[in-house]
Amino acid sequence: AQRVTQPEKLLSVFKGAPVELKCNYSYSGSPELFWYVQYSRQRLQLLLRHISRESIKGFTADLNKGETSFHLKKPFAQEEDSAMYYCALSYSGNTGKLIFGQGTTLQVKP
Amino acid sequence: DGGITQSPKYLFRKEGQNVTLSCEQNLNHDAMYWYRQDPGQGLRLIYYSQIVNDFQKGDIAEGYSVSREKKESFPLTVTSAQKNPTAFYLCASSMGGAGGNEQFFGPGTRLTVL
């Protein structure tokens, strides 16, 4: 079955340190992957998607089909990056449904 | 901000009562979704609808019901059969089909059963 795994519930780093939020998925075909972010007292919103290959707020994520991973990275964390991050998978034939990981809380300390 | 509204923001219910959560969107999206968000469990899909007058069960549909009589509206009823209804509920919508799978989320409703 299709599945998304985010192994870390909490990731705590100091401001200026590099950040990597891990996401692994299980799906044998061609997936579409997303990172969503939920800042405190704000609604869940799209951060980036792999097909656009953009860098948003300094974050990037590369789809690695060999390792079935879609890790989110930022070279220098900022305090305003503190939030809950969800990795999500959409796959062909699933009618637009997203499968979400358990989420990782990123805490950036001053 | 948004285009998806959910009401109320907070809802309290006594055990044994049904309660309906509202979700409205003005994005002209075909598809709408209901999720439940619990700490450490991510978002779990309750029901989804790809088109008016049609909807399908998600992964945790037991104890819930929905309707999709209008494109803009997708209300969720939490029935007394739902054993653990206290949670944060999120509604989302997407263009669907060739429009892509990006989902846009509402602000959520926090339901507490007393």
Side-chain angles (χ1 to χ4, degrees), chain A residues 9 32 34 36 38 42-46 49 84 86 90-91 94-103, chain B residues 1-4 33 35 37 40-43 45 48 50 88 90 94 100-107:
Chain A
K9 284 188 178 180
E32 187 175 2
F34 305 81
Y36 279 82
Q38 190 171 30
Q42 293 187 29
R43 63 181 69 192
L44 193 64
Q45 58 187 285
L46 180 69
R49 57 198 302 179
M84 173 71 86
Y86 290 99
S90 177
Y91 57 96
N94 79 331
T95 65
K97 293 186 297 181
L98 292 178
I99 299 172
F100 284 85
Q102 300 93 325
Chain B
D1 183 30
I4 301 179
Y33 311 83
Y35 294 92
Q37 188 178 28
Q41 298 194 52
L43 276 71
L45 183 65
Y48 66 102
Q50 294 177 272
F88 191 59
L90 286 171
S94 69
N101 295 328
E102 179 185 351
Q103 292 186 14
F104 296 81
F105 285 82

Side-chain angles (χ1 to χ4, degrees), chain A residues 21 35-48 56-59 72 74 78-86 104-108, chain B residues 1 37 88 90 105-107 110:
Chain A
L21 286 82
W35 277 100
Y36 279 82
V37 61
Q38 190 171 30
Y39 300 103
S40 178
R41 289 185 288 277
Q42 293 187 29
R43 63 181 69 192
L44 193 64
Q45 58 187 285
L46 180 69
L47 179 62
L48 54 79
I56 305 294
K57 298 184 179 182
F59 285 97
L72 183 68
K74 184 169 183 177
Q78 303 299 316
E79 288 182 68
E80 55 266 30
D81 296 328
S82 296
M84 173 71 86
Y85 291 80
Y86 290 99
T104 298
T105 298
L106 175 63
Q107 183 183 73
V108 181
Chain B
D1 183 30
Q37 188 178 28
F88 191 59
L90 286 171
F105 285 82
R110 186 166 297 281

